[in-house]
Amino acid sequence: MMAGTGGSELRALLAGRARKRRSTFGSGAELCQAALRLLDRHQNLNDLLLEVEDLVKPAGECGKEHQEALSESFIVSVLQEQASRLGVPAAVLAAKNAVTNIEQICQPSASPSQVPLLNLDQRERLSCLLQTVKDLLVNNVFSRSHFCQEIWKMQDLPVLEAVWHLHRGNIIGLGELLESNPDAPAVVEWLCSSLCALCEQAEEPSQDAELAGSVLSDFAITFLQNGFQQTSELGRTCEFKKVPNICRAVLQRMLTWVLDAVGKEKQEDVFTLQAMRFWLNVFNVSIYRSAVHPDSLQQFFRHTLTEVLTYNPLLKVSDAIRMQREWSFTRTCSLLTALYRKLFVAFSAKESICQLQQVLETHEVNWQHVLSCVSMLVVCQAEAEQLFKDLLSHLLIKAFENYDMENMITAFLIARQAALEGPAVFMPYSEWFKASFGSAGGQHGSSKKALVFLFEFLSELVPFEVAPYLKVHIMYPPFVPSKHRSILLEYITLAKTRLADLKVAIEDMGLYEDLSSTDEAVQPQGQALRDVEKALQIFENTRKIPTSVIEASIFRRPYYISWFLPALLRPRVLPKAPDVCMAFIDSLKRADKIPSNLYSTYIQACCAMKEKMLQDESEVETSHSKEPIEQLKAELAELRVLIVDQAKHEDVPAQIALISDRLSSVLGHSGDENDTAALSTRIQVNVFDPKLEPCHQSVVDLLLTSFCQNLIAASYFNPPDRQGPCLSLFVKMICGHRRLIPALLRRLCQLIYHQGPSLNDAHILGLAAFVIHLSECRSLIPEVEADLGISQPVAEKVLSISEYWSCLLVCRTKESFSFCTRFCTAAISYLMCKFPSFSRDDLYALVPPSLVKKLQYIVPRLSLEARGITCEEGKADLSWSSLSCPSLNYRRASLCLWKQARFQELLKEKAFQLSFREWLLLELEVHPEEDILSASERQDFHYWVIYQWYLPAPSASGGCDGDLEKACGIIINTILDFSQRLDLGGYGQLKMSVNPDILCKLQELVLELGCRRKSLSGCLDAKSHFLFKILQERLKDRKHDSALGEQLWRQQELLLHRRSLVGLPASALIMTCRKGKKTTLDCEDFFHFVNSELKNVCSRGYALPYDITSHFFRGLLNASLDCEEAAEVVNDVLTTCQTKCPIVLLSAVLWWPRLEPVLCSQWKRLFGAPLAEELERLRECQSSATGFLSSGGVFPLSGPPWISAAFLHCTIQQQSPHGRERNVLKRLGTDTEQLLVSLLFFSLMDLISAKIAPKEGVDFQTSLEWSLEILQCLEERGASWPLLFQSAEKGSRKYFVLHSAASACHSRLLPLAFYSLTPGFDHELLAREQLFLYVALDLYLQLLQLFVEGKDLPQTDQVGQGQDPVEHGDPVEVISKAHRFLRAAIPRCPARSFGNLGPLLAACDQLDPELGAILRRSRPAAALDLDEELVLF
């Protein structure tokens, strides 16, 4: 045979003998004839096709081409000779023999069933054969068509890998091979069975997985190219008629194979499921790249998605209503989830939902697959929420247009399914139902027919509904016009009947039950416990009985009496000092919300429990509760033995389960409802005073001690990465006892925040590792509501567990810096040593960002070497043995960690980068006098941080992009945020000042920014002053729970703004700009800020505090240095103040005795010239006022009368000439009406200030008397003054300057001041002043409105005995007095006074109907004796 002896002879003939002696054949033709004669006697053509590959192997490189040609001609000659003898074409013979060889090669050796992949020997033999076939194809001695026919005649069809090699080697394409088979169903069956076997074999432990993947991807490409052809490709493949159907059939069968397993995943064996997951690789878009037309790929994926959604549509809508909760994202079969994920890669979210919508409109669907698809999309696609909302709106519109139940049920099922995935990805069902049907604008509100259609639909759902949805429909019913109310009541009756069948009573619904949840209903007793806990939280924060509890006691009395009160009044040993629960019960009792018999029973039960406890303590020396503690200690000791011995690690889980059982005995068993409530309820921790029960503290200490001992003992033998999951399991077990978590976090607060610096190295190491393992279990830990002792909204106090550690690890003193460094270094080092093989994403998910940021703050602060280091991977190996060494220097350890390449990679991630703002907040907390750095070291550190780290750093990594203005903005905002967070005492005095070093750096930056702007050529104008832009932005879009909260926050914020402005260089308030060739000053932004914001927190009403006033004027003089004409520029600014910001000048007037020496001295230093004209005019006005009061001469008027009046008013107040005011006013002379009215205005401002800011030193009675004196003087002169009380908005601009200088609060309280002056109103006033009645009535209505809204009106002061509250401006008395005055005055007013009252009548009717009636009855033509004395009271 050729494979044996004959093969050796052939090789000897062709190669070996040629080397031994010279050939005796004369030519190649003679040699060929000799070979043919030899083959005649020893001929096996099949083996010849396999052996011919070896012909070239013995030959050297030089003769290789010649021998290849020789071998080709030789095999061709052999085939032709054999074919001529048999009388068949050589190509046909070659094809038959090739098939015979393939059949022999693919013959399984031992396996009873054919496998899809070849073994190594088979693969090598096939490779030889295919090489020969390729040579025959080149010589046109091979028939593809006959080869295909012979293939299908094989007894056992070829192995899939063999077909793949034929296809991959371009010998016979898969399409051509499939087309040649006359029996298409058999081909489909063979392909599907082979592909299933391929998937199963690919998942077996072997080296064939990569090869199987290649086979599968090449076949998938062929299936798509032929099964989903595009119009442009039909001509290219028109020779294939059957292949497209075969390809589509195979893909369909394989998809069915996968979908059959969906829903039976638990019954399938793991290998079958793995095989199916391997088949899903055909849906990887990446394998098709440019091999498949993009439209074909889209068509295939759309077709597959349609097939999935419509597969086996047996479930009814009623089944979907009942079961859809089981089809949420987390409960969906993993095969279906994986399939959806791969399919959605090919589509955008919009395309996916459009395809889903199309299928729903045109096919019968499998509701399980459809709703699982909805869940998948809404969870995995961020934009799916809005797209589904649009789809739901579309479905509802279509449903009500055609009264189509199918569209309605589709909308409801989709809305419920999306809501199942939680509010983070889609609105709760209750919100969707309210938004869709809760108002008259809903689709159901268009007609009665639409309304009936909706309730018919809801009624048909009732027999299949689960309780949560029925509760939503009852508690948030659709909007129904009153005339159709019976339709709604009929549905509610039906729904309540269904709830009764489900044993759920609507009356037993909790006060705070989450109707958006579709979880199984909690039993009433469990819900009542939750309600009590929530009510106690609200009561603790507000000290008021929650509205929901009041409402329940009236409108839901059965639940309130049967469930809520028993849950609240559970007997217990009452504490000596009343706690929140006792205070709440007492409030309810005083409000008659607890029946007397129930309260008496509760008190008796509490007393009985206390007596029993005392009796037990006296009878039993050792409490019975100590027994479980001892058992717990024994089990913890046993755990330590198992942890240190690696051979016993497999016993650790069982031991931890035993510890958990002992722990439950110690804590006492609790029901599922309590555990659920504990998980959903935020943990409250008072950071400054974290209290916990002694029994809980002993248990927590025992567990923490055990953890630390186990860690130290295990680390003695093995590094963390070889300690196994023992400690992780231990911490997870602790977190599973949810009632213990609050005590655990409070105890950690005590240890870390309060006792941290005093802990030894072993304690720190253990607690740090414990914190890392808590991060592993963060999903089991509720949010923490920390009481940080700061004035901020509650929402900002809610912390994740990572943020909680940041709150506890403070860096303020030398000791706290040391502890924080040791703790964070130990924690991050432990994490990196514990999980060295974790991928980057897995590791980053475990790292608490707050700990990394603390290190990023501390290490460069303590170590010069760390500033600018990237990494030194080779020199800084992280060794756990050195880190756990008690004598380790913590600075060296932290630097070692810092140099780690892995740690430096961590710092490149945005989530772990310490931003400039975060660094500032940490630095502001440092106490400079107790800092670990000296003053000079701290200055060097600040310089490096600001100028070398954050200023040049990009904003993406928390820096400033080299922008000085941005750096200043960040510092200012951070200082203000920090100041807002501090606990404020009375009247805004901060208990803790801002770090002066940071303020110095801010001042440097602001000065540098100013110098840079001055150095720029050309126009120096900017759109707006960056400083005031920052401050204005902070005041925008602030949301508070109440108007009072907003007002208090704004006042506090503006006080901080003022402090910040005073802390900056004075010239920073003013911008320098060029106009033509001159340099001028621009104060527009400062003036706007003062007018719009700053003046509204001025307690004097018309003047700013001294600090900001002095700062502005000093800045004005400093800035004028840059101008060519300093005096002229100063004059221009002060002249502008008269119209644009008069409060600045009035502030200068008020503080002139203090301000004058400062400004005169500064002007002399800067210029050495006479004062600017406007400053000199202020000096003269002050001198005139002083001289007028002391000399008895006439008061000279110069400039605007309101400035002279202000100087006179302030001088009178400062000199206090009590009793001489009348003489002063008489000496003012004639033609001083405007001066007197301005004086009245300033005295009224003081009157109001005395009420709202009594600590300003202004006396109310004195101000009232002074105001009445001025009013009397005006009356005697017949001067018109009522328009003073009319704002510019009301149409009077006569006193616009005065009104623009007043704060908003003082302006709103002018009505109070007006009606405090009624004793001074002359009886001729009504006749003389036509507008008096209009002004008086308008102010009265404003006063009532203020009282109704509860705004601004000062509370009644505690006046001395015998003093009249009216004279002290009591609001209620003033309103009563105003009412009586108007009642008496209206009938006595002349007819012309009623001409303009029309706009006020409607408001009067609403706020004071009695007075409105009097106004309407008083006819203008009535003859009234206006000379008759006005009787006011």
Side-chain angles (χ1 to χ4, degrees), residues 756-758 810-822 890 930-932:
S758 63
V810 294
C811 299
R812 294 171 182 162
T813 64
K814 181 177 181 179
E815 293 75 17
S816 60
F817 265 108
S818 173
F819 167 71
C820 192
T821 308
R822 292 154 70 197
Y890 69 90
E930 301 178 68
D931 191 4
I932 196 170

Side-chain angles (χ1 to χ4, degrees), residues 1069-1326:
L1069 304 182
I1070 300 165
M1071 292 182 64
T1072 305
C1073 60
R1074 293 193 68 82
K1075 289 184 179 179
K1077 295 183 178 180
K1078 286 188 175 182
T1079 304
T1080 61
L1081 301 181
D1082 182 2
C1083 304
E1084 289 293 327
D1085 291 315
F1086 176 74
F1087 290 165
H1088 175 72
F1089 185 69
V1090 168
N1091 287 328
S1092 62
E1093 305 295 347
L1094 209 55
K1095 75 175 184 181
N1096 293 324
V1097 289
C1098 298
S1099 53
R1100 287 302 291 263
Y1102 60 89
L1104 302 172
Y1106 173 76
D1107 54 1
I1108 191 66
T1109 304
S1110 171
H1111 206 60
F1112 169 74
F1113 276 92
R1114 288 189 294 106
L1116 176 63
L1117 300 192
N1118 286 336
S1120 66
L1121 271 173
D1122 298 323
C1123 304
E1124 295 81 1
E1125 299 291 340
E1128 181 181 340
V1129 169
V1130 171
N1131 290 336
D1132 290 342
V1133 170
L1134 295 181
T1135 302
T1136 304
C1137 279
Q1138 294 181 16
T1139 55
K1140 291 194 173 181
C1141 196
I1143 192 173
V1144 169
L1145 287 179
L1146 292 176
S1147 305
V1149 170
L1150 177 65
W1151 304 112
W1152 191 254
R1154 294 173 60 184
L1155 190 61
E1156 180 188 7
V1158 174
L1159 297 184
C1160 291
S1161 172
Q1162 185 179 356
W1163 185 271
K1164 186 175 181 180
R1165 285 197 315 273
L1166 295 177
F1167 305 106
L1171 272 177
E1173 182 181 345
E1174 290 299 322
L1175 289 175
E1176 184 62 38
R1177 180 174 287 114
L1178 294 177
R1179 285 182 66 182
E1180 291 173 356
C1181 288
Q1182 173 66 31
S1183 176
S1184 299
T1186 305
F1188 171 69
L1189 292 178
S1190 60
S1191 67
V1194 178
F1195 183 68
L1197 289 176
S1198 62
W1202 56 270
I1203 293 181
S1204 299
F1207 270 111
L1208 181 59
H1209 174 77
C1210 294
T1211 306
I1212 290 173
Q1213 299 302 315
Q1214 290 154 7
Q1215 296 187 4
S1216 301
H1218 193 60
R1220 294 182 292 157
E1221 293 90 344
R1222 187 70 180 166
N1223 295 328
V1224 169
L1225 295 175
K1226 284 181 177 179
R1227 289 192 291 112
L1228 284 176
T1230 60
D1231 199 22
T1232 55
E1233 176 184 338
Q1234 294 299 315
L1235 179 69
L1236 284 169
V1237 173
S1238 299
L1239 270 177
L1240 177 62
F1241 178 82
F1242 295 129
S1243 65
L1244 292 176
M1245 291 295 103
D1246 282 349
L1247 184 76
I1248 296 170
S1249 297
K1251 293 302 299 178
I1252 64 176
K1255 289 195 174 182
E1256 281 294 318
V1258 181
D1259 181 67
F1260 178 83
Q1261 191 61 35
T1262 302
S1263 299
L1264 179 60
E1265 292 173 0
W1266 173 230
S1267 300
L1268 290 171
E1269 290 287 353
I1270 299 171
L1271 183 62
Q1272 184 178 350
C1273 186
L1274 284 168
E1275 286 294 312
E1276 289 173 355
R1277 299 184 183 206
S1280 177
W1281 55 266
L1283 283 179
L1284 176 66
F1285 293 89
Q1286 286 291 96
S1287 64
E1289 290 79 7
K1290 298 285 186 178
S1292 173
R1293 297 185 61 85
K1294 186 174 182 179
Y1295 302 106
F1296 171 76
V1297 171
L1298 293 175
H1299 283 286
S1300 65
S1303 74
C1305 180
H1306 282 71
S1307 296
R1308 284 193 295 269
L1309 290 178
L1310 273 176
L1312 181 69
F1314 177 86
Y1315 280 105
S1316 298
L1317 299 178
T1318 51
F1321 291 167
D1322 189 84
H1323 65 277
E1324 297 179 354
L1325 187 61
L1326 298 176

Side-chain angles (χ1 to χ4, degrees), residues 806 809-812 817 850 853-858 861 914-927 974 978 981 995:
S806 179
L809 291 163
V810 294
C811 299
R812 294 171 182 162
F817 265 108
S850 57
K853 290 181 179 182
K854 289 286 184 182
L855 284 175
Q856 206 172 353
Y857 168 68
I858 295 171
R861 201 176 198 279
L914 183 73
S915 68
F916 188 28
R917 181 181 183 278
E918 291 170 326
W919 178 87
L920 285 166
L921 285 173
L922 291 171
E923 190 66 22
L924 286 168
E925 288 191 350
V926 177
H927 298 162
T974 307
F978 177 77
R981 287 168 52 185
N995 191 319

